[in-house]
Amino acid sequence: MVKRFFIFLAAISLFGCAQTVSSGAASLPQSGSVSSNVSGVEAEESTAQESHISDEAGEEKAMLKITVGEHEFWAAFEDNVSAQEFKELLEQGPITVSMDDYGGFEKVGPLGTTLTRSDESITTQPGDVILYQGSQITIYYAPNSWNFTKLAKIEDVSDLKEKLGKGSIEATFSLAEPS
């Protein structure tokens, strides 16, 4: 009985730690600044318009910057081999992609190269930046379910469809290093 009790306590402790880590994962405020409690110390976080986020260890990580016309979108990279390859590609310089509406839920265009696929069956959400078929990049403004590789997630998706515009657009993807 005592052994079961200790196993129960250990499981609760681990679950509580996992919840703390996942709830503190790389998310940026939508606007303004917020305070977050990092290891019991209050720290000012930068606004979403800045170019970095902090991981669980407090290290700053690069962000994806997407520019469409006068609009700039900041996205947190996913933790997978495809997103890492995309970051490495962007280290060589910005990439501009001609994108078109498809299906009433996304903008899609050719990336100009092929990246490793890390496909999973997912339902996209507005702001998901997806690698499709290894060589197409998409920005979702409405849900869609399929086997995709998620590269990044745009933090502020307010009026995303309108900001992306109708018809053909030029979207520039660039790497914003920590400052």
PDB file of all heavy atoms in Angstrom, residues 3 44 60-61 82 88 103 107 110 124 126 128 153 179:
ATOM      1  N   LYS A   3       3.889   1.523  -1.126  1.00  0.00           N
ATOM      2  CA  LYS A   3       4.538   1.607  -2.441  1.00  0.00           C
ATOM      3  C   LYS A   3       3.610   2.269  -3.458  1.00  0.00           C
ATOM      4  O   LYS A   3       4.022   3.119  -4.229  1.00  0.00           O
ATOM      5  CB  LYS A   3       4.944   0.209  -2.906  1.00  0.00           C
ATOM      6  CG  LYS A   3       5.754   0.195  -4.168  1.00  0.00           C
ATOM      7  CD  LYS A   3       6.207  -1.209  -4.484  1.00  0.00           C
ATOM      8  CE  LYS A   3       6.999  -1.255  -5.759  1.00  0.00           C
ATOM      9  NZ  LYS A   3       7.430  -2.604  -6.104  1.00  0.00           N
ATOM     10  N   GLU A  44      10.210  40.684 -17.486  1.00  0.00           N
ATOM     11  CA  GLU A  44       9.454  41.350 -18.537  1.00  0.00           C
ATOM     12  C   GLU A  44       9.701  40.631 -19.843  1.00  0.00           C
ATOM     13  O   GLU A  44      10.842  40.387 -20.231  1.00  0.00           O
ATOM     14  CB  GLU A  44       9.901  42.811 -18.683  1.00  0.00           C
ATOM     15  CG  GLU A  44       9.369  43.732 -17.606  1.00  0.00           C
ATOM     16  CD  GLU A  44       7.861  43.858 -17.637  1.00  0.00           C
ATOM     17  OE1 GLU A  44       7.289  44.074 -18.712  1.00  0.00           O
ATOM     18  OE2 GLU A  44       7.251  43.714 -16.562  1.00  0.00           O
ATOM     19  N   GLU A  60      17.041  32.449 -25.636  1.00  0.00           N
ATOM     20  CA  GLU A  60      16.276  33.080 -26.705  1.00  0.00           C
ATOM     21  C   GLU A  60      16.371  32.250 -27.973  1.00  0.00           C
ATOM     22  O   GLU A  60      17.415  31.695 -28.289  1.00  0.00           O
ATOM     23  CB  GLU A  60      16.785  34.497 -26.960  1.00  0.00           C
ATOM     24  CG  GLU A  60      16.487  35.406 -25.783  1.00  0.00           C
ATOM     25  CD  GLU A  60      16.956  36.828 -26.016  1.00  0.00           C
ATOM     26  OE1 GLU A  60      17.656  37.084 -27.009  1.00  0.00           O
ATOM     27  OE2 GLU A  60      16.612  37.674 -25.193  1.00  0.00           O
ATOM     28  N   LYS A  61      15.242  32.149 -28.677  1.00  0.00           N
ATOM     29  CA  LYS A  61      15.172  31.363 -29.904  1.00  0.00           C
ATOM     30  C   LYS A  61      14.735  32.276 -31.043  1.00  0.00           C
ATOM     31  O   LYS A  61      13.991  33.215 -30.844  1.00  0.00           O
ATOM     32  CB  LYS A  61      14.157  30.230 -29.733  1.00  0.00           C
ATOM     33  CG  LYS A  61      14.545  29.223 -28.666  1.00  0.00           C
ATOM     34  CD  LYS A  61      13.441  28.258 -28.367  1.00  0.00           C
ATOM     35  CE  LYS A  61      13.193  27.323 -29.509  1.00  0.00           C
ATOM     36  NZ  LYS A  61      12.223  26.276 -29.209  1.00  0.00           N
ATOM     37  N   SER A  82      11.933  19.242 -39.966  1.00  0.00           N
ATOM     38  CA  SER A  82      11.514  20.077 -41.099  1.00  0.00           C
ATOM     39  C   SER A  82      11.644  21.556 -40.766  1.00  0.00           C
ATOM     40  O   SER A  82      12.153  22.339 -41.573  1.00  0.00           O
ATOM     41  CB  SER A  82      10.075  19.750 -41.482  1.00  0.00           C
ATOM     42  OG  SER A  82       9.932  18.375 -41.712  1.00  0.00           O
ATOM     43  N   GLU A  88      17.452  26.689 -41.306  1.00  0.00           N
ATOM     44  CA  GLU A  88      18.769  26.664 -41.945  1.00  0.00           C
ATOM     45  C   GLU A  88      18.706  27.276 -43.340  1.00  0.00           C
ATOM     46  O   GLU A  88      19.626  27.989 -43.757  1.00  0.00           O
ATOM     47  CB  GLU A  88      19.305  25.242 -41.995  1.00  0.00           C
ATOM     48  CG  GLU A  88      19.679  24.713 -40.620  1.00  0.00           C
ATOM     49  CD  GLU A  88      19.981  23.217 -40.595  1.00  0.00           C
ATOM     50  OE1 GLU A  88      19.999  22.580 -41.674  1.00  0.00           O
ATOM     51  OE2 GLU A  88      20.192  22.694 -39.487  1.00  0.00           O
ATOM     52  N   GLY A 103      -8.900  26.433 -51.778  1.00  0.00           N
ATOM     53  CA  GLY A 103      -9.927  25.798 -50.972  1.00  0.00           C
ATOM     54  C   GLY A 103     -10.645  26.678 -49.972  1.00  0.00           C
ATOM     55  O   GLY A 103     -11.388  26.172 -49.149  1.00  0.00           O
ATOM     56  N   LYS A 107      -3.376  30.010 -48.063  1.00  0.00           N
ATOM     57  CA  LYS A 107      -2.544  30.553 -49.129  1.00  0.00           C
ATOM     58  C   LYS A 107      -1.441  29.531 -49.327  1.00  0.00           C
ATOM     59  O   LYS A 107      -0.849  29.040 -48.365  1.00  0.00           O
ATOM     60  CB  LYS A 107      -1.907  31.887 -48.725  1.00  0.00           C
ATOM     61  CG  LYS A 107      -2.868  33.048 -48.589  1.00  0.00           C
ATOM     62  CD  LYS A 107      -3.262  33.587 -49.933  1.00  0.00           C
ATOM     63  CE  LYS A 107      -4.039  34.894 -49.764  1.00  0.00           C
ATOM     64  NZ  LYS A 107      -4.561  35.358 -51.031  1.00  0.00           N
ATOM     65  N   PRO A 110       4.920  27.552 -54.094  1.00  0.00           N
ATOM     66  CA  PRO A 110       6.110  26.699 -54.141  1.00  0.00           C
ATOM     67  C   PRO A 110       7.265  27.287 -53.334  1.00  0.00           C
ATOM     68  O   PRO A 110       7.594  28.458 -53.472  1.00  0.00           O
ATOM     69  CB  PRO A 110       6.449  26.647 -55.634  1.00  0.00           C
ATOM     70  CG  PRO A 110       5.896  27.933 -56.181  1.00  0.00           C
ATOM     71  CD  PRO A 110       4.674  28.240 -55.358  1.00  0.00           C
ATOM     72  N   THR A 124      -5.446  21.728 -39.145  1.00  0.00           N
ATOM     73  CA  THR A 124      -4.788  23.019 -39.060  1.00  0.00           C
ATOM     74  C   THR A 124      -5.695  24.038 -38.383  1.00  0.00           C
ATOM     75  O   THR A 124      -6.915  23.894 -38.356  1.00  0.00           O
ATOM     76  CB  THR A 124      -4.417  23.545 -40.452  1.00  0.00           C
ATOM     77  OG1 THR A 124      -5.612  23.713 -41.214  1.00  0.00           O
ATOM     78  CG2 THR A 124      -3.460  22.601 -41.162  1.00  0.00           C
ATOM     79  N   PRO A 126      -6.030  28.559 -37.876  1.00  0.00           N
ATOM     80  CA  PRO A 126      -5.538  29.815 -38.442  1.00  0.00           C
ATOM     81  C   PRO A 126      -4.161  30.168 -37.863  1.00  0.00           C
ATOM     82  O   PRO A 126      -3.939  30.066 -36.659  1.00  0.00           O
ATOM     83  CB  PRO A 126      -6.601  30.827 -38.018  1.00  0.00           C
ATOM     84  CG  PRO A 126      -7.851  30.006 -37.902  1.00  0.00           C
ATOM     85  CD  PRO A 126      -7.384  28.685 -37.344  1.00  0.00           C
ATOM     86  N   ASP A 128      -1.340  28.550 -38.780  1.00  0.00           N
ATOM     87  CA  ASP A 128      -0.389  27.455 -38.968  1.00  0.00           C
ATOM     88  C   ASP A 128       0.367  27.657 -40.278  1.00  0.00           C
ATOM     89  O   ASP A 128      -0.229  27.924 -41.321  1.00  0.00           O
ATOM     90  CB  ASP A 128      -1.101  26.102 -39.009  1.00  0.00           C
ATOM     91  CG  ASP A 128      -1.542  25.622 -37.635  1.00  0.00           C
ATOM     92  OD1 ASP A 128      -1.085  26.200 -36.621  1.00  0.00           O
ATOM     93  OD2 ASP A 128      -2.334  24.669 -37.575  1.00  0.00           O
ATOM     94  N   LYS A 153       3.910  28.554 -36.118  1.00  0.00           N
ATOM     95  CA  LYS A 153       2.575  29.037 -35.765  1.00  0.00           C
ATOM     96  C   LYS A 153       2.641  30.546 -35.587  1.00  0.00           C
ATOM     97  O   LYS A 153       3.399  31.056 -34.771  1.00  0.00           O
ATOM     98  CB  LYS A 153       2.102  28.369 -34.458  1.00  0.00           C
ATOM     99  CG  LYS A 153       0.806  28.903 -33.902  1.00  0.00           C
ATOM    100  CD  LYS A 153      -0.358  28.469 -34.734  1.00  0.00           C
ATOM    101  CE  LYS A 153      -1.672  28.899 -34.079  1.00  0.00           C
ATOM    102  NZ  LYS A 153      -2.808  28.536 -34.867  1.00  0.00           N
ATOM    103  N   SER A 179      17.705  39.389 -30.403  1.00  0.00           N
ATOM    104  CA  SER A 179      18.470  40.648 -30.329  1.00  0.00           C
ATOM    105  C   SER A 179      19.278  40.731 -29.070  1.00  0.00           C
ATOM    106  O   SER A 179      19.122  40.005 -28.166  1.00  0.00           O
ATOM    107  CB  SER A 179      17.523  41.834 -30.425  1.00  0.00           C
ATOM    108  OG  SER A 179      16.481  41.711 -29.492  1.00  0.00           O
TER     109      SER A 179
END
